[in-house]
Amino acid sequence: LLLILGPAGIGKSRLLTTAVRRLEDQAEVLWTGCLPYGENAALWPLEQLVRQMAHIADDAPPHDVEHALAGSLGRAPEGQRAALILSHMLSHDQVPTAPEERSWAVRKLLESVAERRPLVLVIDDIHWAEPAFLEVVEHLIEWMRGPLLLVCAGRPDFLDARAHWGVGRVNASSLTLEPLGEQDSKSVLNYLLGDQKLDMTTADYI
């Protein structure tokens, strides 16, 4: 687990995009983000992950959804049950599903993918995550087995209500991004410009 924190506009998403591109040849990369509002916003990032893992289009009919999920779960123990739980979630039907069953089913799908290839799971804007989604993420952190890098990025206020999130867990770390200082900013600009160095007046203005 890697938690990246920083204020809005500091460059969290840019950093993630650049870093993750270097892993695409070595791992299966899944990317989702949390929404600040909207219908079904609580589980929207989870649904996007499931659709990516099972290659399910947004407009796929229920039968195709369940078939794709069953195929992705392969021979995983209780794979058929997990596929049914996830298909109910994606179809937004009224079949009741306990939160712990949903977390279990997502974990089964992730483990099935990770058996074939190392998995990198990126969750952006986690400060907007609803409790229902965070429950699933925390379940994965606690129970998932297999090669998984879970990267969560968000604003520092995410920890206002979750000060101990990830603390004390094995293989968990955090990184806080801060604005560059004056000298570092000039160094970056000079590097980007190459042979065209900034004159002192322009550099001081920037």
Side-chain angles (χ1 to χ4, degrees), residues 11-165:
K12 298 183 295 297
S13 297
R14 176 62 181 272
L15 174 63
L16 285 173
T17 302
T18 303
V20 165
R21 281 177 179 168
R22 301 181 181 183
L23 301 175
E24 289 178 340
D25 292 337
Q26 308 168 48
E28 182 76 19
V29 178
L30 305 173
W31 188 301
T32 191
C34 302
L35 302 177
Y37 55 83
E39 187 178 1
N40 301 315
L43 294 179
W44 185 87
L46 184 61
E47 294 175 7
Q48 295 307 302
L49 287 176
V50 171
R51 290 185 182 279
Q52 287 179 59
M53 282 186 283
H55 307 287
I56 301 172
D58 290 340
D59 58 353
H63 178 269
D64 290 350
V65 168
E66 189 171 346
H67 180 75
L69 287 166
S72 295
L73 283 155
R75 298 181 179 179
E78 300 188 88
Q80 186 174 2
R81 177 181 159 220
L84 185 60
I85 292 171
L86 294 174
S87 65
H88 288 320
M89 181 186 73
L90 294 182
S91 63
H92 300 147
D93 58 27
Q94 300 303 312
V95 177
T97 302
E100 56 270 20
E101 282 194 316
R102 183 169 54 221
S103 297
W104 170 84
V106 171
R107 176 168 60 87
K108 283 294 181 183
L109 182 56
L110 282 165
E111 288 177 343
S112 180
V113 173
E115 280 183 358
R116 299 188 291 270
R117 200 176 185 206
L119 185 60
V120 178
L121 175 55
V122 181
I123 303 172
D124 205 358
D125 293 323
I126 198 168
H127 52 277
W128 282 328
E130 296 283 349
F133 178 61
L134 286 178
E135 286 179 10
V136 177
V137 176
E138 290 166 355
H139 176 87
L140 295 176
I141 295 170
E142 185 73 25
W143 295 104
M144 181 165 168
R145 300 295 176 262
L148 169 68
L149 172 60
L150 176 60
V151 184
C152 303
R155 299 175 189 172
D157 56 11
F158 170 71
L159 294 180
D160 289 348
R162 302 173 182 85
H164 301 290
W165 202 77

Side-chain angles (χ1 to χ4, degrees), residues 151-197:
V151 184
C152 303
R155 299 175 189 172
D157 56 11
F158 170 71
L159 294 180
D160 289 348
R162 302 173 182 85
H164 301 290
W165 202 77
V167 174
R169 296 186 183 276
V170 177
N171 296 328
S173 58
S174 63
L175 172 67
T176 300
L177 302 184
E178 298 177 350
L180 293 177
E182 180 180 346
Q183 188 57 49
D184 287 335
S185 297
K186 290 179 180 178
S187 296
V188 170
L189 286 172
N190 281 320
Y191 172 77
L192 293 174
L193 289 171
D195 295 335
Q196 303 178 30
K197 300 299 181 183

